[in-house]
Amino acid sequence: MDFERCYRAVDSRDQRFDGWFYTGVTSTGIYCRPSCPAITPKRQNVRFFPSAAAAQGAGLRACRRCRPDAAPGSPQWDIRADVVGRAMRLIADGVVDRAGVPGLASRLGYTERHLHRMLSAEMGAGPLALARAQRAQTARILIETTDLGMAEIAFAAGFGSVRQFNDTLREVYASAPSDLRTARGRQPAATGAGTITLRLAYRPPLHARALLDFLAVRALPGVDEVRDGTYRRGLRLPHGTGEVALTPANGHVAATLRLTDLRDLAPAVARCRRLLDLDADPAAIDATLAADPALARAVATEPGVRLPRAVDGFEMAVRAVVGQQVSVSAARKTLTRLLLTHPVDHEVAGVDGDRSPGQPHDQPGSAGVGVGVGVLRGFLSAEELLGLPDSRFGMPSARRETLRGVARAVVGGDLDLAPGVDREEAVRRLLALPGIGPWTANYLAMRALGDPDILLSTDLAVRRGAAALGLPDTPKTLDGYAERWRPWRSYATIRLWRAA
């Protein structure tokens, strides 16, 4: 939050800093993104804030021109492993709306007072104010993209009353909720009840092809698919099911969400952003990796390669265990058998080795709501997996029991794979489970928990990629060489997979 650095970013309208901080203009009473196209304010009229909630707490309203509330999130809260970073991820996932500040503090293992003190020191606002700012953004999305009544929107966005909803939106946007709807200048998309279309911002560049390729070769029938440049998947959310279609575009990812309960909008958006790693800072990541001559050409050719993450930690745990010591295509076939509602013959189309992005067949009879082609549902829950007979697993008994052990740990509360978990503690608990070794635990730390600094040096594809780039390809020597890639070794892992 150095004033001179922040002011230079504002003066140059640098989009890379959107979400890192917010610019408050005391002469106009508004706050903006650093990239706001308005005339640069005078130094004496500027204050900088670490969060939108802090700017709102100072009595400023959101700029109607640059929409600072819709900026990408700060990459700090996506990658940091400390309490503040964990708290920000849980707030984004809607924990305060569902369980209140006491529930958030309990998840983090701190008192409410101490948590408030830590967040206020770093974010300029406490957990309730941060959640309130998110509710205002959710409400604005619903006002502009649906024809729901204002009372319905108020409770769907997480407000406790219509009066609280009205007061908050007047304070944040200096407009009544009905005025926001009148000013939107367009009608909601005619895609049916419960359907919301919005844009997910990101910091450029974004290598969309790398994301879609990665997700396509791992797509599972009835759960997710890649078709015509769009990734679709089913979602299990706190209040019900949903489905999302994500289409990368210039400067944003177009998202069409269909939800059975609109209270799940904020967590659904947060999970989609996490899945596609949209809050990353690709300029910082690529600068570190490009400093290594072995990766410089790949970074220059494919800038903005992201780390695909997860919408469901348990789903990723099952995928990791099934993928132990087998190819991606073999793991996909085993998972397909595990997910079939009925024991019918099924062929996965277009799969030829680990790199072919073939399309799965749609599966009839699955529950859920549809967006686009096919009907998709969320992955198995831990409880559902525990209810499956041995014949559904199609794998060695030891691996089957490992899956059941993970499911029992999740159901019993001994293992938490949510975004706000303590990563080191989660890895320790994973390693304590029979059948979970370092590769599986680290893969989950990278994809389910979002650790940006994991190198899977024992992974066969990683070693092949290293050899293709002329790098050391034995685990010990590769680990030593990779020290120069800190703190972005997870992104180096993705690039080595692509090189393979």
Side-chain angles (χ1 to χ4, degrees), residues 97-116:
D97 293 334
R98 299 191 296 273
V101 177
L104 175 66
S106 176
R107 290 280 295 271
L108 295 169
Y110 287 83
T111 64
E112 294 177 55
R113 178 176 295 181
H114 189 53
L115 179 60
H116 187 280

Side-chain angles (χ1 to χ4, degrees), residues 64 90 93 135 166 194 335 396:
R64 296 176 182 175
L90 288 172
D93 201 56
R135 289 184 200 125
N166 287 326
L335 287 163

Side-chain angles (χ1 to χ4, degrees), residues 197-214:
T197 301
L198 62 155
R199 294 182 171 194
L200 306 181
Y202 60 79
R203 291 174 192 83
L206 172 74
H207 198 291
R209 172 69 182 275
L211 271 174
L212 294 179
D213 282 353
F214 187 94

Side-chain angles (χ1 to χ4, degrees), residues 218-234:
R218 292 162 177 82
L220 298 173
V223 174
D224 58 345
E225 66 177 14
V226 175
R227 191 190 298 271
D228 300 327
T230 294
Y231 175 69
R232 299 179 177 86
R233 72 157 295 133

Side-chain angles (χ1 to χ4, degrees), residues 177-262:
S178 57
D179 293 337
L180 291 175
R181 175 163 283 175
T182 302
R184 72 189 171 194
R186 60 185 176 84
Q187 294 298 316
T191 47
T195 300
I196 300 160
T197 301
L198 62 155
R199 294 182 171 194
L200 306 181
Y202 60 79
R203 291 174 192 83
L206 172 74
H207 198 291
R209 172 69 182 275
L211 271 174
L212 294 179
D213 282 353
F214 187 94
L215 295 169
V217 297
R218 292 162 177 82
L220 298 173
V223 174
D224 58 345
E225 66 177 14
V226 175
R227 191 190 298 271
D228 300 327
T230 294
Y231 175 69
R232 299 179 177 86
R233 72 157 295 133
L235 300 169
R236 286 181 179 270
L237 298 163
H239 299 102
T241 59
E243 192 174 326
V244 64
L246 299 166
T247 306
N250 185 25
H252 68 276
V253 172
T256 300
L257 286 151
R258 190 167 184 184
L259 307 171
T260 57
D261 192 319
L262 289 177

Side-chain angles (χ1 to χ4, degrees), residues 12 32 48 64 74-75 92 102 115 188 200 215 258 260 278 367 403 413 416 430 434 460 465 476 492 495:
S12 62
C32 305
F48 295 112
R64 296 176 182 175
S74 170
L115 179 60
L200 306 181
L215 295 169
R258 190 167 184 184
T260 57
L278 297 184
L403 286 178
D416 186 0
L430 281 164
L460 181 58
K476 186 175 181 179
R495 288 192 176 275

Side-chain angles (χ1 to χ4, degrees), residues 320-480:
V321 171
V322 172
Q324 292 172 348
Q325 300 178 332
V326 299
S327 69
V328 173
S329 58
R332 185 177 173 189
K333 290 176 182 177
T334 300
L335 287 163
T336 296
R337 176 174 179 176
L338 186 69
L339 291 168
L340 289 176
T341 304
H342 302 290
V344 297
D345 291 334
H346 179 77
E347 294 293 334
V348 179
V351 177
D352 181 17
D354 292 356
R355 301 289 301 162
S356 300
Q359 305 296 338
H361 293 303
D362 298 324
Q363 289 300 293
S366 56
V369 290
V371 175
V373 181
V375 179
L376 304 175
R377 60 186 184 278
F379 196 81
L380 288 169
S381 68
E383 292 85 354
E384 288 171 338
L385 185 139
L386 289 173
L388 295 179
D390 291 354
S391 59
R392 284 283 297 279
F393 286 83
M395 63 187 71
S397 59
R399 191 161 299 171
R400 179 182 68 223
E401 292 309 310
T402 296
L403 286 178
R404 286 175 171 161
V406 171
R408 282 192 290 267
V410 169
V411 171
D414 298 321
L415 179 63
D416 186 0
L417 297 173
V421 71
D422 184 317
R423 291 169 181 159
E424 291 185 1
E425 176 65 14
V427 169
R428 186 185 66 79
R429 296 193 177 203
L430 281 164
L431 290 172
L433 295 173
I436 301 291
W439 181 91
T440 307
N442 285 329
Y443 184 86
L444 282 170
M446 182 175 73
R447 295 203 57 205
L449 308 181
D451 192 327
D453 199 30
I454 297 291
L455 179 72
L456 301 176
S457 58
T458 62
D459 184 89
L460 181 58
V462 167
R463 293 171 61 191
R464 286 175 176 167
L469 295 175
L471 297 173
D473 61 350
T474 61
K476 186 175 181 179
T477 54
L478 185 56
D479 274 328

